[in-house]
Amino acid sequence: MVPGEVIAGDVKIKLSGPCSDAESYALGLRYKEKVFWKLRREDAPIPKMPKMTYNWTVSNSDLFRVGPFHNFGNPDYNETEWKAYENSVQNKDLWSMHEEERIAFEIKSPLVTDLLSTNFTTRFGVLVPNTNYPPGLDCRGGFMSNGGANDMTSSESIYEYFVEIGFSNGTTSEIPAGMTAFTPLHLLTESNAPSVNVSLPPQPARSHFNMKPSVDRLQSNYTVEVSFPEGTHVYQNSSVNFTAIVHWTGYTNRTDVPVELCAFSANGIEWHSQELQNRLQPFPPSIKALVPSVDHVQYSRFSQGAIPYTVPRSPCREIKFAAAPTPLTDEGCICSTSSEPLSLSLYVDHDAIPDFSMYYQKLGHHVKLNLHVAPDPSEPWDSEWQKIQWEKEIANADEFDWVPWSPTPTRRRFLSGNANILSVIPTQKQEPAQSTPTHYLSDKARQPVFVDSSDIADLRLMLPEERDLIAPLTQPVIKVIARGEEVPRRYCAAADMRYPIYVGDTWVKKVLPMVAEGSA
């Protein structure tokens, strides 16, 4: 769907089994969105996870071992400490949990058919007002942590078709009929953004198996100056060029060397709820727009289907620095230097999410910068465990000709930062100038309405302003899920990646060959 259009479709209904008491059929369409969070109370910190030692050898007795991580490295741990940790994590009174759903619109239209027929197809039309609704998101994929001791935040949204069957005893049954999408209209404006300096702070060292990390207060500081000479607007399935200059500030007697800079586009979500702001997830959500597959995915009838996601493309460039100043003293002095300008081209996938402000969150993008640095030998390791593994390899360097694996490459340190200046625009056909669509959260927003398929041609001849008056104003409904029934995923919780069926892929498979055949 797109703002200000009248679309045509058809629905196929096939009843299996004894359904002689079916009295009526109605086609429905709704848009709903939800938010979920599970947050640890700030006044109830989780105790430190008990220390574990791992024995990776397997014996006969290990086949019957049970524990917090069954058969994972055979952990040995203090059961009393583990029980206290487990009880703290599982104490629901120490967590804030909430799930809320907003239904922006729900429409239905009776289907006129022979009630004795159990297999039929009928056509319908949908008048879409000049209202910008959020882009359709593919809820079938993405990774989500299983929670445990971690905070969890998630959101879902779906445009879903359904068929409501009424029976002679007064009951009804709702049958899913696939999901569709919406492509919001973006009116282009000037996008000459100034240069942006992105700080790449040292990452806090990670403790490995409860080992205390070290801190280096003399590490060099890096920033990256980013500029987009062609503007920061980029269409889906296209590239944008930008320039980056790496700036270094540090002690002249430090020998850390920046090796390469990599960049890729990443999702950026800003939660509107004060409860969720400044709360970070262990893994950022991987969200894709719901668009017809570029290469149509062939799903096996018996398989779970393939995940239609690609690995982000990350162009990298080698960094060339001017020679560092000669140290004036043994202790060194603080100075700064900059790299030669780096030219990069950033590709945005065809299913990247367009920028849009939704009810629970704001969808956006940023350029994620990863700087690879060869560290100074005096810099501490992320953990003592990493140091031990490295020293073992160095000590056994003369043995690598006798084993099938290669030594670990030169030690690297990785610094990351985000430039929040990228704006992704949906790929859309060029239409004559039209009035700016109303945002779906506005009091003046209107909702789609079903129309008779025989009226579609006449409706398309009407002025957009006249056609818009046919669509009623929205009447959204908000529902808070009862305590104890909250779940992070509700709309696409099935393990089968084929469902819900995306009608856009059905359109690609069914309609496009007919169009191509007709134009031949």
Side-chain angles (χ1 to χ4, degrees):
M1 294 184 289
V2 294
E5 287 282 356
V6 183
I7 62 174
D10 49 24
V11 57
K12 178 180 177 65
I13 297 178
K14 180 180 179 180
L15 303 182
S16 300
C19 299
S20 58
D21 58 344
E23 284 192 340
S24 64
Y25 302 93
L27 177 64
L29 172 65
R30 69 168 68 95
Y31 173 67
K32 58 185 181 181
E33 52 189 319
K34 66 178 283 288
V35 66
F36 166 89
W37 69 70
K38 187 201 78 170
L39 305 175
R40 187 70 173 190
R41 275 178 25 196
E42 294 184 358
D43 61 347
I46 296 176
K48 187 176 181 181
M49 182 176 177
K51 182 177 181 180
M52 295 186 181
T53 57
Y54 292 81
N55 176 15
W56 297 97
T57 60
V58 178
S59 66
N60 179 267
S61 61
D62 292 325
L63 300 177
F64 305 94
R65 183 186 182 98
V66 294
F69 301 102
H70 176 57
N71 282 345
F72 180 76
N74 302 330
D76 291 318
Y77 55 93
N78 184 300
E79 292 189 13
T80 302
E81 292 179 354
W82 177 265
K83 195 62 179 177
Y85 171 78
E86 186 178 55
N87 289 339
S88 176
V89 171
Q90 295 180 350
N91 187 343
K92 295 182 179 180
D93 292 334
L94 302 181
W95 296 87
S96 166
M97 192 147 63
H98 181 79
E99 184 185 2
E100 179 180 308
E101 180 180 66
R102 181 182 189 270
I103 300 177
F105 66 80
E106 178 175 312
I107 59 175
K108 298 178 187 178
S109 178
L111 298 176
V112 180
T113 184
D114 181 3
L115 293 179
L116 298 178
S117 176
T118 60
N119 188 346
F120 61 91
T121 300
T122 184
R123 297 189 61 78
F124 66 91
V126 178
L127 185 153
V128 184
N130 191 32
T131 296
N132 250 358
Y133 281 89
L137 306 182
D138 195 345
C139 61
R140 297 170 296 181
F143 172 83
M144 180 174 292
S145 167
N146 61 359
N150 299 317
D151 288 349
M152 291 183 67
T153 57
S154 68
S155 64
E156 288 182 292
S157 63
I158 189 171
Y159 295 88
E160 59 180 0
Y161 282 107
F162 59 93
V163 172
E164 187 178 84
I165 303 177
F167 297 95
S168 57
N169 62 2
T171 62
T172 60
S173 178
E174 183 178 302
I175 310 299
M179 60 180 174
T180 187
F182 197 98
T183 301
L185 179 65
H186 282 243
L187 300 179
L188 294 182
T189 58
E190 292 294 328
S191 63
N192 296 324
S195 297
V196 175
N197 286 321
V198 181
S199 177
L200 306 180
Q203 299 297 312
R206 301 181 302 274
S207 58
H208 197 89
F209 299 148
N210 294 319
M211 292 183 179
K212 186 177 180 180
S214 301
V215 177
D216 182 8
R217 301 184 183 279
L218 302 179
Q219 277 186 349
S220 304
N221 292 323
Y222 291 92
T223 59
V224 180
E225 182 182 350
V226 178
S227 59
F228 287 77
E230 301 171 3
T232 56
H233 289 159
V234 56
Y235 284 100
Q236 295 167 319
N237 195 29
S238 64
S239 299
V240 60
N241 298 320
F242 70 98
T243 301
I245 300 175
V246 179
H247 302 288
W248 171 87
T249 300
Y251 289 91
T252 54
N253 60 354
R254 301 287 288 209
T255 61
D256 53 298
V257 178
V259 179
E260 65 178 0
L261 180 70
C262 302
F264 58 89
S265 170
N267 295 329
I269 290 180
E270 295 181 16
W271 298 102
H272 296 317
S273 169
Q274 190 67 33
E275 187 90 12
L276 298 181
Q277 293 177 10
N278 302 321
R279 292 276 192 154
L280 298 178
Q281 291 189 95
F283 301 97
S286 176
I287 311 174
K288 299 294 182 181
L290 195 57
V291 295
S293 302
V294 176
D295 297 315
H296 184 64
V297 180
Q298 298 293 330
Y299 292 104
S300 165
R301 183 175 181 179
F302 304 102
S303 88
Q304 298 295 312
I307 298 177
Y309 295 157
T310 57
V311 176
R313 307 182 190 184
S314 176
C316 298
R317 292 290 183 271
E318 182 182 354
I319 299 172
K320 294 182 180 180
F321 259 82
T326 303
L328 301 179
T329 67
D330 291 340
E331 290 77 19
C333 63
I334 296 178
C335 68
S336 300
T337 186
S338 301
S339 73
E340 297 178 2
L342 306 174
S343 296
L344 299 98
S345 181
L346 188 67
Y347 174 76
V348 173
D349 279 316
H350 75 287
D351 53 4
I353 299 175
D355 292 13
F356 200 89
S357 183
M358 302 171 65
Y359 184 77
Y360 294 112
Q361 62 190 339
K362 181 179 180 181
L363 303 175
H365 287 78
H366 53 246
V367 180
K368 187 171 182 63
L369 302 172
N370 288 339
L371 181 67
H372 298 186
V373 178
D376 185 273
S378 65
E379 292 187 27
W381 291 82
D382 282 351
S383 70
E384 189 66 21
W385 181 85
Q386 282 188 347
K387 179 182 178 183
I388 293 172
Q389 297 304 309
W390 179 269
E391 290 175 346
K392 283 182 180 179
E393 290 205 359
I394 297 300
N396 300 324
D398 59 339
E399 298 178 1
F400 283 111
D401 290 340
W402 300 89
V403 293
W405 55 82
S406 300
T408 303
T410 305
R411 180 186 169 194
R412 293 283 181 91
R413 183 160 58 91
F414 299 92
L415 306 178
S416 298
N418 297 322
N420 300 313
I421 56 175
L422 194 64
S423 177
V424 174
I425 302 171
T427 303
Q428 52 198 19
K429 59 183 180 180
Q430 295 297 320
E431 298 285 356
Q434 64 181 83
S435 59
T436 302
T438 303
H439 194 275
Y440 86 116
L441 297 179
S442 166
D443 293 338
K444 299 180 180 179
R446 297 181 178 272
Q447 64 185 35
V449 61
F450 283 116
V451 295
D452 193 284
S453 59
S454 61
D455 296 331
I456 292 178
D458 291 336
L459 288 169
R460 288 174 174 170
L461 295 175
M462 294 175 61
L463 293 174
E465 295 79 7
E466 296 176 341
R467 199 165 56 219
D468 226 38
L469 296 177
I470 300 175
L473 295 172
T474 59
Q475 293 182 320
V477 176
I478 295 178
K479 177 177 65 175
V480 176
I481 307 302
R483 183 173 176 81
E485 299 179 7
E486 307 96 336
V487 291
R489 298 191 70 168
R490 189 174 294 273
Y491 302 159
C492 294
D496 193 335
M497 294 292 295
R498 297 174 299 173
Y499 298 102
I501 292 174
Y502 172 41
V503 299
D505 281 335
T506 308
W507 177 79
V508 168
K509 181 180 179 181
K510 177 183 175 183
V511 179
L512 286 189
M514 297 170 54
V515 174
E517 185 177 316
S519 61

